Amino acid sequence: MQPNVLTNAYDVRSGAFQTAGDASASIKRKLKQIGVDSGILRRIAVASYEAELNLIIHSLGGTLTLEMSPEKIVLVSQDVGPGIADISKAMQEGYSTASEEARDLGFGAGMGLPNMKRNADGFDIASELGKGTRIEMEFHLK
């Protein structure tokens, strides 16, 4: 970690639909308190919510980490899970591998990864089958 970078990590449990949105709401509150521009705040809120839901729906659990510096905000989603077999397919709007339970609750429309990429200034995803997925999103403040 670089100097002048503040970090907050949020553990997200697999299948924890009852707490869906708690981590992303906490991130939004924290960034609002420090005065992040409302347009940037909105994009981070969307991306963090989508990342949190993906951890709940598709993984065996993971961490959503917020890294703040004067120049940028970085969100990192790291999970333990099945991994993504075809990232290019997973990036297509409407493609979803969500369970029937998730769909019955109104989640799993296949917009998570596309929404994360669309809202971030920088987006990187890496996944290994049987190990998990790491998504890093960058948001410029200046």
Side-chain angles (χ1 to χ4, degrees):
M1 183 171 51
Q2 301 172 354
N4 297 325
V5 175
L6 299 174
T7 303
N8 288 86
Y10 303 85
D11 289 326
V12 181
R13 292 188 348 253
S14 175
F17 293 102
Q18 69 279 6
T19 59
D22 286 1
S24 51
S26 179
I27 289 169
K28 183 178 179 181
R29 273 191 308 277
K30 182 174 296 299
L31 296 177
K32 189 173 186 177
Q33 287 173 345
I34 64 170
V36 171
D37 174 81
S38 63
I40 296 169
L41 182 62
R42 183 195 59 76
R43 294 188 301 118
I44 293 170
V46 169
S48 64
Y49 182 74
E50 296 288 11
E52 183 178 1
L53 280 177
N54 275 5
L55 289 169
I56 291 169
I57 294 169
H58 299 290
S59 79
L60 300 175
T63 306
L64 189 58
T65 304
L66 172 69
E67 299 173 0
M68 299 173 282
S69 74
E71 299 81 32
K72 66 184 175 182
I73 304 263
V74 177
L75 277 176
V76 178
S77 172
Q78 177 72 54
D79 73 40
V80 175
I84 300 171
D86 187 338
I87 290 176
S88 63
K89 194 178 222 181
M91 292 300 299
Q92 294 175 13
E93 291 187 7
Y95 177 79
S96 178
T97 59
S99 68
E100 191 172 323
E101 176 191 17
R103 291 174 192 260
D104 286 348
L105 293 169
F107 303 114
M111 293 303 295
L113 291 173
N115 278 339
M116 285 183 241
K117 185 174 182 178
R118 182 179 302 111
N119 280 285
D121 295 316
F123 179 87
D124 185 60
I125 182 170
S127 189
E128 187 176 344
L129 291 178
K131 299 274 185 177
T133 301
R134 176 183 165 86
I135 300 168
E136 185 170 312
M137 296 165 279
E138 190 172 291
F139 303 85
H140 302 150
L141 298 176
K142 296 182 179 188

